[in-house]
Amino acid sequence: NRETWACTATAEVTIVDAAAVNEAVARAEANEVTIGLSADSVAEDPSPSDAYEKPADGAFDSLAWLIWPTDGLDALLEASAFRIVSVDSEVVGESPNRGTASWTVTVKLTDVDRLRQLATQAHPDEAALIADSLAAAWERAADPFAPLRSIPGIDWQPVKVEVEHLPARTASGIR
């Protein structure tokens, strides 16, 4: 408990229906909520440079905006297995309709036993592996590719999943 871990998933993605991807972006824009936060006690209007930038014209360029790295983690969050520290996603195009997508979720563990329990419930045949490896527990407790499953108009193939411990730095900054 209280350790920091990160899970990075990578997939090869092909746009098979650009119209469906563009419709998903339009729906997301229609449901968008903007919150202007300020360090001052008096709220300021966001400047135009702070405003959301619409994805480029290509459907593949819009893909990064449609990936929400925490998709599929609801049960772990509700069980207080961990809390999310940060999320990041990146899409690298090889062509206008093909490329690589990756996303990382960094968490602070709060209940390792609950994480292992949820993983074992989902994969009882792998209980020994889950008991031996926290990385295996996280990977089996939640589908690492859930963020792509809800995006219409794409085909994808998993490339890799990496779960790693991020050791805390000492006060001097040395690990």
Side-chain angles (χ1 to χ4, degrees), residues 89-113:
S89 64
E90 178 182 40
V91 175
V92 178
E94 297 167 9
S95 72
N97 68 342
R98 189 159 199 255
T100 303
S102 63
W103 53 95
T104 302
V105 177
T106 303
V107 302
K108 180 78 70 172
L109 298 174
T110 53
D111 191 341
V112 174
D113 292 335

Side-chain angles (χ1 to χ4, degrees), residues 113-127:
D113 292 335
R114 187 69 176 126
L115 175 66
R116 290 185 196 278
Q117 180 184 30
L118 291 168
T120 301
Q121 286 173 354
H123 297 275
D125 55 323
E126 298 185 62

Side-chain angles (χ1 to χ4, degrees), residues 63-103:
L63 185 61
W65 194 71
L66 292 173
I67 295 173
W68 189 245
T70 60
D71 277 357
L73 297 179
D74 292 341
L76 298 172
L77 292 169
E78 289 171 9
S80 297
F82 54 61
R83 66 178 174 81
I84 295 174
V85 175
S86 66
V87 296
D88 188 32
S89 64
E90 178 182 40
V91 175
V92 178
E94 297 167 9
S95 72
N97 68 342
R98 189 159 199 255
T100 303
S102 63
W103 53 95

Side-chain angles (χ1 to χ4, degrees), residues 140-159:
R140 283 150 183 85
D143 176 7
F145 294 99
L148 292 180
R149 295 189 193 284
S150 64
I151 300 174
I154 65 170
D155 187 22
W156 57 274
Q157 295 297 316
V159 173

Side-chain angles (χ1 to χ4, degrees), residues 12-86:
E12 292 291 328
V13 180
T14 302
I15 304 294
V16 294
D17 184 350
V21 173
N22 290 330
E23 286 174 22
V25 169
R27 278 192 308 276
E29 283 180 330
N31 295 324
E32 170 183 358
V33 174
T34 303
I35 301 171
L37 300 177
S38 173
D40 296 334
S41 60
V42 178
E44 300 173 5
D45 288 335
S47 69
S49 64
D50 294 337
Y52 162 74
E53 292 183 29
K54 186 176 180 180
D57 292 334
F60 195 81
D61 293 331
S62 300
L63 185 61
W65 194 71
L66 292 173
I67 295 173
W68 189 245
T70 60
D71 277 357
L73 297 179
D74 292 341
L76 298 172
L77 292 169
E78 289 171 9
S80 297
F82 54 61
R83 66 178 174 81
I84 295 174
V85 175
S86 66

